[in-house]
Amino acid sequence: MSTVDKMLIKGIRSFDPENKNVVTFFRPLTLIVGANGAGKTTIIECLKVSCTGELPPNARSGHSFIHDPKVAGETETKAQIKLRFKTAAGKDVVCIRSFQLTQKASKMEYKAIESVLQTINPHTGEKVCLSYRCADMDREIPALMGVSKAILENVIFVHQDESNWPLQDPSTLKKKFDDIFSATRYTKALEVIKKLHKDQAQEIKTFKLKLENLQTLKDAAYKLRESIAQDQERTESSKVQMLELETSVQKVDAEVHNKEMMLKDLRKLQDQVSIKTAERSTLFKEQQRQYAALPEENEDTIEELKEWKSKFEERLALLGTKIRKMEREMVDTETTISSLHNAKTNYMLEISKLQTEAEAHMLLKNERDSTIQNIFFHYNLGNVPSTPFSTEVVLNLTNRIKSRLGELEMDLLDKKKSNETALSTAWDCYMDANDRWKSIEAQKRAKDEIKMGISKRIEEKEIERDSFEFEISTVDVKQTDEREKQVQVELERKTKQNSERGFESKIEQKQHEIYSLEHKIKTLNRERDVMAGDAEDRVKLSLKKTEQENLKKK
């Protein structure tokens, strides 16, 4: 429990700003006694200001709370309230609040200078001072005392001018009771729960949209990966084909070169053959000319000439076979050259196709790089190296996208779990409220049944009244008057007899007792009516208490 030990007052209202006035509070009770204007109320006001920071009523924004500088003959008055108290944990704390009131040319200016909390370090025993703003100080001191600000302001240190606040209008009274019993916390908690439920639902919607977007991105990434794998396979196969084609082209070029060399040799041989034929024709002509120019015939024998002829024919046959052989080789080389030219054109077509496929592959790679850059830029996944990307870089980036997607999925699962727990708690609250509503409805139905019973009884009483009135109407009034006169005569006679016997005092006493009993019956009936009127309020109060206990348990 928190207790107040001492308080120093300086420069507050009638307390001198030059002297320190110390008030000690004794246990278990301290009585403050003094004449009017001695400062009894000022002590309570100083306690309230030091604990809550709220100025007393009619303080004119602090101008009338601080000692007037005109009375002191100064242009500036400084005031201070120093309060030493024990916290709820039993620690000694000193609260210091300083104020200043300055007389300007046309007005006075009030200012709160500083707010300090002074504690003692339990390890070293040294004093530790902490400066706070006024708003922070107003929250810190009630927390240290373990009492709310509303209780300090309206119950413990309530000002005598504000002590009649229970008689104020219902809205102000409800607000003060809510502040004292901290009922607004529960309503705020319910509002916060509703707001959280709404925010969580909105977040679930956004995360669902993000999940759908990420799912599409994931599908696109899988498609890109498949296309990348297919493109890599195509590139590898095309590289292999290009290597094979290059080797085949090199072989064909070598064969073409060999065939061209052979063609050159054949052309040279053909030129030599044509030269030799021309030489032969010239030699044959020269031989004819020389033979014609011979003075005489050759004297060689026929055998020698035949031998020369056979040798010459053999030589001609050899030359003819060589010529035919060269012609066959020439035809073969031409056919091989044509086939090689055809193969070369086919290979050139395949190379052009492969080049177009390579260009399409490069376009796909550029599209892949641009999509990866857009994904990284749109979702802030980090820096991206410059294009074009290698296969290792692409695999690394896709792995980063996968890891980011996994993190988002884990966050989504965590959010789902938290939302499920929040929904379960909200559902429990809803079920409790539904149960309370059902109980209230049952009570309402019971009250309606009671009300119907009362209305039925009223109707029965009205019927009885009507029957009595009918009976009264049927009664003969004259006979009743005569009977009344006879009764009055009898009463007078009896009263005379009783007066003679001395019973008048007893009759008066009994009449007084009857009157007092009737008065008590009337008061009891009024109390019964008040209790019946307050029954509904008591039911509501019990329901509020049960709700408060349930909320405390939660």
Side-chain angles (χ1 to χ4, degrees), residues 374-392:
N374 292 326
I375 289 167
F376 270 74
F377 178 72
H378 190 267
Y379 293 100
N380 294 323
L381 298 177
N383 294 320
V384 182
S386 60
T387 55
F389 297 153
S390 63
T391 56
E392 294 178 355

Side-chain angles (χ1 to χ4, degrees), residues 198-215:
K198 189 176 180 181
D199 294 338
Q200 291 294 328
Q202 190 67 30
E203 286 183 0
I204 287 168
K205 288 181 181 178
T206 55
F207 277 113
K208 282 182 179 178
L209 293 173
K210 286 183 180 179
L211 181 62
E212 291 175 357
N213 193 6
L214 290 172
Q215 191 67 34

Side-chain angles (χ1 to χ4, degrees), residues 163-181:
S163 59
N164 60 347
W165 61 266
L167 303 176
Q168 292 180 356
D169 55 307
S171 61
T172 307
L173 187 63
K174 182 182 180 300
K175 185 177 182 300
K176 286 188 179 289
F177 272 119
D178 288 341
D179 292 337
I180 289 169
F181 294 108

Side-chain angles (χ1 to χ4, degrees), residues 82-257:
K82 189 183 289 186
L83 177 67
R84 188 175 74 184
F85 63 93
K86 286 186 182 293
T87 62
K91 293 182 180 179
D92 289 327
V93 178
V94 178
C95 166
I96 302 170
R97 290 182 185 262
S98 300
F99 310 98
Q100 180 180 335
L101 187 63
T102 307
Q103 178 66 49
K104 295 293 181 72
S106 60
K107 62 178 182 178
M108 286 194 294
E109 183 180 352
Y110 167 80
K111 184 179 181 183
I113 300 173
E114 62 177 351
S115 298
V116 178
L117 272 181
Q118 188 176 3
T119 58
I120 296 172
N121 192 345
H123 300 290
T124 59
E126 296 178 353
K127 291 183 179 180
V128 180
C129 294
L130 298 173
S131 296
Y132 290 91
R133 293 185 302 170
C134 293
D136 297 334
M137 193 81 161
D138 297 342
R139 287 193 298 270
E140 190 72 21
I141 292 174
L144 290 171
M145 286 187 168
V147 183
S148 66
K149 184 179 176 182
I151 293 174
L152 289 172
E153 187 176 348
N154 297 315
V155 179
I156 297 174
F157 299 134
V158 63
H159 197 272
Q160 62 185 6
D161 293 341
E162 294 178 343
S163 59
N164 60 347
W165 61 266
L167 303 176
Q168 292 180 356
D169 55 307
S171 61
T172 307
L173 187 63
K174 182 182 180 300
K175 185 177 182 300
K176 286 188 179 289
F177 272 119
D178 288 341
D179 292 337
I180 289 169
F181 294 108
S182 300
T184 53
R185 285 191 300 170
Y186 302 111
T187 56
K188 287 180 180 178
L190 290 173
E191 289 176 358
V192 169
I193 288 167
K194 289 180 182 177
K195 187 177 179 183
L196 284 172
H197 185 268
K198 189 176 180 181
D199 294 338
Q200 291 294 328
Q202 190 67 30
E203 286 183 0
I204 287 168
K205 288 181 181 178
T206 55
F207 277 113
K208 282 182 179 178
L209 293 173
K210 286 183 180 179
L211 181 62
E212 291 175 357
N213 193 6
L214 290 172
Q215 191 67 34
T216 55
L217 290 173
K218 185 179 177 182
D219 296 335
Y222 281 131
K223 289 179 181 178
L224 283 171
R225 189 182 295 168
E226 291 176 357
S227 64
I228 287 165
Q230 292 175 0
D231 292 336
Q232 286 178 355
E233 291 177 357
R234 287 178 184 174
T235 50
E236 288 176 358
S237 62
S238 61
K239 283 180 182 179
V240 173
Q241 290 178 1
M242 285 176 72
L243 290 172
E244 291 176 355
L245 289 170
E246 284 178 357
T247 53
S248 62
V249 166
Q250 288 177 0
K251 289 179 182 179
V252 169
D253 287 334
E255 289 179 357
V256 168
H257 184 68

